[in-house]
Amino acid sequence: MTLPVKTESPHLVDTASISGWAVDANPENDPTYPMRDQTQDHGLTRQWDRPPVQQPDVEILQSIEHIRQPAVVGTSTPPSGVSGMLRRTAFRWSESNWMHWLILMGADRINVVEGVIEDLAHAKIPNIPGEMGIRSELQFNKRGFATKAAVVTALSAVAIGLIVRKRGKSDPTSAIVIAPSEPA
């Protein structure tokens, strides 16, 4: 494995010659300066009381980097099912670990399938094309929609072809040859 090599510039650039460089260095010209100026206490720093913490009635998953949960947490969709199990597993890792995020993305995809199954279980037909934004895709990205439709059509044709071909080879009735019986 080769490590990246730091390229050295043949000459240093004088930043004073670059228009707009360090425009926020002057506090008189910096719109964020009053927010960063902590010389005066406006009651939000030293004398600040933490708001009361919400007492949720559902399970809340919390990062291992934080020792306490924020004052307000989302309780509309508690973790449940297979996706909830995956989310609980993901929160065992640090947010800096890529496994944490991959597992959470996988849990999101599984949650979509669980939602469709739940809709079907309640005799509700989900509007999957509408939920995927087909109308907007057709309106604003016709070329992308055509590409996606072509890919889905091609993959479906290949899958159907493979299934039909496999059935043709494994169908026991197609391999049986009935010979005419000989007279006794």
Side-chain angles (χ1 to χ4, degrees), residues 53-120:
V53 177
Q54 174 186 352
Q55 298 300 320
D57 55 352
V58 296
E59 178 185 8
I60 302 295
L61 298 174
Q62 182 173 332
S63 171
I64 61 174
E65 276 101 11
H66 304 287
I67 56 173
R68 60 181 173 212
Q69 67 185 42
V72 179
V73 292
T75 59
S76 64
T77 53
S80 63
V82 176
S83 63
M85 290 173 23
L86 284 172
R87 290 178 202 283
R88 287 182 202 96
T89 302
F91 276 93
R92 293 180 188 164
W93 280 288
S94 166
E95 291 179 9
S96 64
N97 189 328
W98 59 272
M99 280 298 289
H100 172 85
W101 298 106
L102 286 178
I103 292 173
L104 284 178
M105 287 192 306
D108 286 344
R109 301 319 181 265
I110 291 172
N111 198 347
V112 169
V113 174
E114 288 174 340
V116 169
I117 292 171
E118 185 178 343
D119 284 347
L120 293 173

Side-chain angles (χ1 to χ4, degrees), residues 133-170:
I134 295 293
R135 211 176 275 148
S136 295
E137 188 81 17
L138 279 170
Q139 184 177 357
F140 298 108
N141 189 13
K142 290 182 174 121
R143 176 182 252 162
F145 178 77
T147 303
K148 290 174 190 174
V151 168
V152 167
T153 303
L155 289 175
S156 299
V158 168
I160 290 170
L162 290 173
I163 290 170
V164 168
R165 188 170 146 195
K166 185 177 179 182
R167 279 191 183 163
K169 287 182 179 178
S170 65

Side-chain angles (χ1 to χ4, degrees), residues 3 13 23 36 56 61 70 78 117 120 126 144 181 184:
L3 297 174
V13 176
V23 292
R36 290 190 289 151
L61 298 174
I117 292 171
L120 293 173
S181 59

